[in-house]
Amino acid sequence: MSELAAVLAGYLLLVGLTALWSRLRTRTGDPVDYFIASRGLSGLVSAMTYAATTYSAFMMVGLVGLSYAVGVGALCFELAYLVSTVAILSTLGARVWELSRERGYVTPTQLLRERHGSYWTTVFVVFMTALALIPYSAVQMVGPAVILSGVSRGSLDYRTAVTLAAAVVLLTTLAAGIRSVAWTDAVQGAIMLSSATAFVLWLALRAPPGTAEALGDAGLLSPLNELWTPRVFMAYTTPWIFFAVTNPQVFQRLYLPRSRRDYARMVAYFSVFGLAYTVISVSVGLLARGLELTGTMALGIDLRSRADWNRVTQQLMVYAHPVLSSLVAISILAAATSTVNSIILTLSSMFAYDVPVPERARLAAGKVVVVAFTLVVYAFALTRPAFVVDLAVASSTLLLPLLPLYLSSVYGLSGRIPYAVTALTCLPLSVYLTMGGVEVLVPREVLVLLLSLGLYAAALLVERHRRQRWF
Amino acid sequence: MELESALLVLCAALSLLLPFALRGDRSLATFLAYVVLSLLAILTSVLRLRRWAGVE
């Protein structure tokens, strides 16, 4: 416990000082500065906040467990996400950066509202986005809370750990808005990567000869096997390959770099971070399984229980030095809080700009929403929502109908009627299909994607045809 | 479409198709193939964005 207390105190001091320092650089009272740092961040800080926002507690908890259970297929899923994100950032993302400067956008939904020209549909989109991201944010709190309470051997109970995470989220968000979020994200990203590197090196040094052969014989080096079927692969991967477009907390980060050169640097640094962190997280899971198969460690994971997969990291920590396990636990807390604070700040900016709020009250309204959403996420996290990966993927599925809306607004295919029809039909439908557990021939995620794209395209064709007839 | 954009789209498509092509692999080929594919995507995106940013 003393090691954990020391590491935790050091972490809180570092994050607190960074948040206070960033407050000194803020233009108080300016909502554009509060929400997007007046579009003035460097490439490195933009990259670190992008990475820390997109890579959450899922990586060292959910992905490690997934790699342990299904093998290298987990790498295919996570690197498919990275490759698609890099492709999106290099093409659509660059255009979004230009548009945000030309048109002065602060929030992602401002782009939708202005390009499609429907105010009330945008209000609906803002509320649906919040509905999708609350469970995702709550899930982020569960992993670190369980691990912190495990590493402390119960001295730090689950409720206290969740309270601590919520306090970090509030501190880093309210101190100076995006400036404190981005700078603490940069510090937390460094903690995440360095601790994960130390953890995987420790595991690799314990691996006996023949570990890779044992994994191969167990079918864990095949990208598809009886647990990771083509259907499961498509279901997990489909929402994630479009994450950079459909999730507003990462979309808004495209507005932050101060120049084209900084935007290019952001993408390059983020990509390198993403590749390293993904390979490390998957390697931790694969090595853990290899060590178990060769009889070096006994982790006691029940492969039939998907909830049990989340315990892999926690069980590995039993074998690690207390300082190393404390560092990894804190890195998971850093990954979670750096994701949640970004989500909450982005949602607050959408409520301040895209629902009826007087212009001079935008900043105050945004801060009220920050506190309100943190409390909602905190309350939801206390209920210990189920399996981390499934809930995270479900949240992304709920946002999939936003894909045609953003794509069309960026590439000049916008239309008020297609926007309204797709948003008002497909967003509730995705909630029904995801939450109702409806079984269909193709994975739900693929169905939501195809329906949204098809409906938008059909409505756009009808709208353009009618316009041609009238004029 | 310019060469870099086409390559990036190809990388993204390959990342979805590779698991079907490498099905049944018992070596580290899948692991290495994905790392190489990611590196290729990163390199291509860096080249494309450097040109876009005016850094040749």
Side-chain angles (χ1 to χ4, degrees), chain A residues 174-191:
Chain A
L174 290 177
I178 187 65
R179 288 191 191 274
S180 47
V181 166
W183 276 99
T184 53
D185 277 5
V187 169
Q188 305 209 85
I191 294 171

Side-chain angles (χ1 to χ4, degrees), chain A residues 221-235:
Chain A
L221 295 180
S222 168
L224 296 170
N225 51 40
E226 67 269 21
L227 277 175
W228 198 246
T229 62
R231 187 186 170 95
V232 175
F233 172 66
M234 290 311 291

Side-chain angles (χ1 to χ4, degrees), chain B residues 8-31:
Chain B
L8 280 166
V9 173
L10 182 68
C11 287
L14 270 178
S15 70
L16 289 177
L17 296 174
L18 266 181
F20 300 95
L22 295 170
R23 197 176 195 159
D25 173 43
R26 291 164 76 93
S27 66
L28 285 168
T30 303
F31 199 102

Side-chain angles (χ1 to χ4, degrees), chain A residues 64 66-67 70 73 75 88 107 175 180 204 216 281 283 294 296 317 382 389:
Chain A
V64 167
L66 196 66
S67 311
V70 308
L75 182 82
I88 288 168
T107 70
S180 47
S281 302
S283 300
T294 52
T296 314
M317 286 175 176
L382 287 179
V389 184

Side-chain angles (χ1 to χ4, degrees), chain A residues 309-359:
Chain A
W309 300 358
N310 280 341
R311 289 177 49 244
V312 173
T313 305
Q314 199 182 343
Q315 290 298 100
L316 284 172
M317 286 175 176
V318 173
Y319 291 90
H321 189 278
V323 173
L324 180 61
S325 57
S326 301
L327 279 171
V328 174
I330 294 304
S331 82
I332 295 169
L333 177 67
T337 55
S338 61
T339 297
V340 177
N341 63 8
S342 304
I343 290 174
I344 286 179
L345 188 66
T346 296
L347 286 177
S348 74
S349 70
M350 287 158 63
F351 275 86
Y353 275 85
D354 302 313
V355 301
V357 169
E359 199 172 328

